[in-house]
Amino acid sequence: MKQSEVVNATQAELDDLLAQAKQTFTAEQYVLLERVFSTFVYVMLSLQNAKTSIKRFKHMLFGHTTERKRNVPGLAGAGTVVQVDGAEPAAKLPADASASTPGQVGPAQPAASPPVKTPLPGHGRHAAQAYSGAPTVDCEHPELKSGDPCPECDKGRVYDSPPKLLVKMVGQAPLGATVYRVQRLRCRLCDAMFTAPLPAGVAAGPKHDVTCASMLALQRYGCGVPFHRLEGLQAWLHLPLPDSTQWDIVSKVVDAPRAVYQALIVQAAQAPLLHSDDTPMKVLSLMAERARAEAAGLTPVAKAINTSGIVAVLAEHKVVLFFTGHAHAGKNMERVLAHRAQELDPAMQMCDGLSANLAGEFKTIVANCLAHGRRQVTDIAEHFPEAARYVVEALAEVYKHDETCRKDALTDLQRLSYHQAKSKPIMDGLARWMTEQFDKRLVEPNSGLGKALTYLTKRWDALTLFLRKAGAPLDNNICERALKRAILHRKVSMFYKTPKGAEVGDIYMSLIHTCVLCGINPFEYLNALLRNAQAVMGQAARWLPWNYREQLALAA
């Protein structure tokens, strides 16, 4: 059988054909034709939705490799330009918005010369100033000093110039060890034992220094390296450290980090803006409890096991909090907001459109993520390239305006005014265009494009909060980047064994990532907490990443 050509038609075109056929066909023939058209629409929608569902399932399994426009199928065509000026966006898109054949959208653009490629930031050598964690050794000239006569010309004098900077790096084990052979002398008559003193600076305390706990925490909860893998590496280097011992080291000193973790929760509760999201996690004991309940015919208390990430944006700092367990992000947000001062206005909460992310018991000003809305469209771009390209180009213009605000370091009020002047016409035009697609029946509501546009229209007020509220973000990307710490742990370490292990992981992960966002060396910070554990547990609010150096100075 010869393969037939796939025909793309809108519902309006099919309705016109039916109206013309009704005048010439008999009643039986017209009913048959109507059913054929209905079957065609059903099959095409099912095919598109099936392809989209398979694509989303692949993303769930393997993740999104990229969301750049040039890598999205259907949006990477050369010479396809959408002009978005906010005047009348709907006029720039052909009436057949649901067609899947790529075409020129907007007036033809003259051929432009290829842009000059500029090096991407961060793709060069690191300057010596970047190695702030390394000790600095001053090397002075052995024969000359500032003010001496010049040995070359015997006329001038030499003076200090900017020093030449050299960086030398060496390899070393994650955890090192030193073996001290301490001499002991015994009297043969009275059996008195005389032991040589340890070198200066070496304490006769426990075998594992607190720096071991800091490094193990960074390896496991910062980089996701499992304890058993680190055990193997240490064994290769003839510095053995069993995985069970590693767990004992980090868990026994967690009291001081836990006190700071609780203080960070209180700090985060006062923030005017909080981001939140969830990612699945595995806790073996919780999974076993769920399996036993289901085997007994009982309904488990909760099925989902998540790690919730909450990023609080304060005036000068950012706080990252992780919570692992059955609770979703909304419940964990309630746990944080319970510490919010009553005199403060409701906080802004940025999240995706899931109801599980909302803090039900506490009033918040909800903003939804534009990146999630954009993702709904890019997922179906292969089947609806023209409509998807139009939406993506419109949002791209909004993001360009937001980047301008960032580069110019505008205040929240200045940024709000800028978006109202530049971005509001674009978003208003996009809203009119989406409404027109449904009103004129250019889009089938149950199609992939219809569902994507419905997602946007249902959450439009929350998606456009940045046009009405100073300081409201466009997306939830900062929280998704923070959750990559938990995702990395899940992919490499795979699971937590018990809720206690998950709690220890949440504590260290929160402190480490908060240090990273605040530009603090997490290794030095954890060392300071563990060396001053009693003081930290007494006044944890004075030992936060941005103020702990003041306490170290007072102690010194």
Side-chain angles (χ1 to χ4, degrees), residues 56 64 67 370-380 480:
R56 288 176 176 167
H64 290 261
E67 292 188 2
L370 268 181
H372 278 78
R374 179 185 183 276
R375 194 172 301 150
Q376 302 292 321
V377 177
T378 56
D379 282 346
I380 50 89
E480 294 192 1

Side-chain angles (χ1 to χ4, degrees), residues 268-338:
Q270 319 311 317
L273 170 64
L274 297 104
H275 297 252
S276 63
D277 203 357
D278 279 330
T279 189
M281 187 55 65
K282 292 182 178 179
V283 181
L284 296 188
S285 64
L286 297 182
M287 296 169 66
E289 290 177 6
R290 182 179 63 193
R292 286 194 296 268
E294 292 176 344
L298 303 175
T299 302
V301 177
K303 289 189 175 182
I305 303 174
N306 305 293
T307 290
S308 300
I310 296 178
V311 180
V313 181
L314 298 161
E316 298 179 357
H317 316 288
K318 294 181 178 69
V319 174
V320 184
L321 300 170
F322 294 97
F323 304 91
T324 299
H326 287 306
H328 285 279
K331 288 295 182 182
N332 290 315
M333 182 65 74
E334 293 179 9
R335 174 179 172 182
V336 173
L337 292 179

Side-chain angles (χ1 to χ4, degrees), residues 109-432:
Q109 302 296 314
S113 57
V116 179
K117 293 185 177 180
T118 57
L120 295 175
H123 289 258
R125 292 185 177 182
H126 291 291
Q129 291 80 3
Y131 297 87
S132 58
T136 302
V137 178
D138 293 325
C139 303
E140 297 184 355
H141 200 283
E143 301 175 356
L144 295 175
K145 62 179 181 296
S146 181
D148 286 353
C150 175
E152 292 290 334
C153 65
D154 294 330
K155 295 181 180 180
R157 292 185 178 274
V158 295
Y159 295 97
D160 284 332
S161 297
K164 181 180 180 179
L165 300 178
L166 298 175
V167 178
K168 299 291 185 180
M169 302 189 73
V170 297
Q172 60 187 24
L175 279 79
T178 304
V179 178
Y180 294 93
R181 295 175 60 90
V182 183
Q183 185 183 21
R184 295 195 300 173
L185 303 171
R186 184 175 64 86
C187 175
R188 292 186 177 182
L189 293 179
C190 67
D191 285 337
M193 190 72 70
F194 302 91
T195 304
L198 291 171
V202 179
K207 178 179 179 179
H208 301 102
D209 188 66
V210 294
T211 55
C212 295
S214 300
M215 181 53 66
L216 289 172
L218 284 172
Q219 292 280 340
R220 174 70 189 269
Y221 305 113
C223 301
V225 180
F227 286 149
H228 71 86
R229 191 170 298 176
L230 190 57
E231 175 188 2
L233 175 59
Q234 291 289 132
W236 296 344
L237 303 178
H238 296 178
L239 297 168
L241 187 65
D243 58 353
S244 58
T245 304
Q246 296 175 46
W247 164 249
D248 288 341
I249 291 172
V250 297
S251 61
K252 287 180 179 178
V253 297
V254 77
D255 290 339
R258 180 186 285 111
V260 175
Y261 177 71
Q262 296 297 330
L264 286 177
I265 291 178
V266 177
Q267 290 286 324
Q270 319 311 317
L273 170 64
L274 297 104
H275 297 252
S276 63
D277 203 357
D278 279 330
T279 189
M281 187 55 65
K282 292 182 178 179
V283 181
L284 296 188
S285 64
L286 297 182
M287 296 169 66
E289 290 177 6
R290 182 179 63 193
R292 286 194 296 268
E294 292 176 344
L298 303 175
T299 302
V301 177
K303 289 189 175 182
I305 303 174
N306 305 293
T307 290
S308 300
I310 296 178
V311 180
V313 181
L314 298 161
E316 298 179 357
H317 316 288
K318 294 181 178 69
V319 174
V320 184
L321 300 170
F322 294 97
F323 304 91
T324 299
H326 287 306
H328 285 279
K331 288 295 182 182
N332 290 315
M333 182 65 74
E334 293 179 9
R335 174 179 172 182
V336 173
L337 292 179
H339 299 275
R340 187 174 180 83
Q342 295 183 356
E343 63 271 14
L344 293 177
D345 294 332
M348 281 187 291
Q349 180 186 355
M350 165 57 74
C351 58
D352 59 34
L354 294 176
S355 59
N357 290 330
L358 300 180
E361 294 186 5
F362 295 91
K363 182 180 179 182
T364 57
I365 303 173
V366 179
N368 281 165
C369 177
L370 268 181
H372 278 78
R374 179 185 183 276
R375 194 172 301 150
Q376 302 292 321
V377 177
T378 56
D379 282 346
I380 50 89
E382 188 175 358
H383 309 295
F384 305 95
E386 295 182 0
R389 186 183 303 114
Y390 179 78
V391 176
V392 170
E393 291 285 356
L395 297 181
E397 291 296 317
V398 174
Y399 272 90
K400 287 179 182 178
H401 296 321
D402 201 56
E403 180 63 22
T404 300
C405 296
R406 244 189 317 268
K407 289 182 178 179
D408 295 343
L410 301 185
T411 65
D412 288 344
L413 288 175
Q414 290 172 336
R415 173 178 173 271
L416 176 62
S417 300
Y418 189 90
H419 272 304
Q420 288 177 339
K422 300 289 186 178
S423 302
K424 191 174 186 302
I426 299 174
M427 299 301 287
D428 289 345
L430 182 59
R432 289 195 298 271

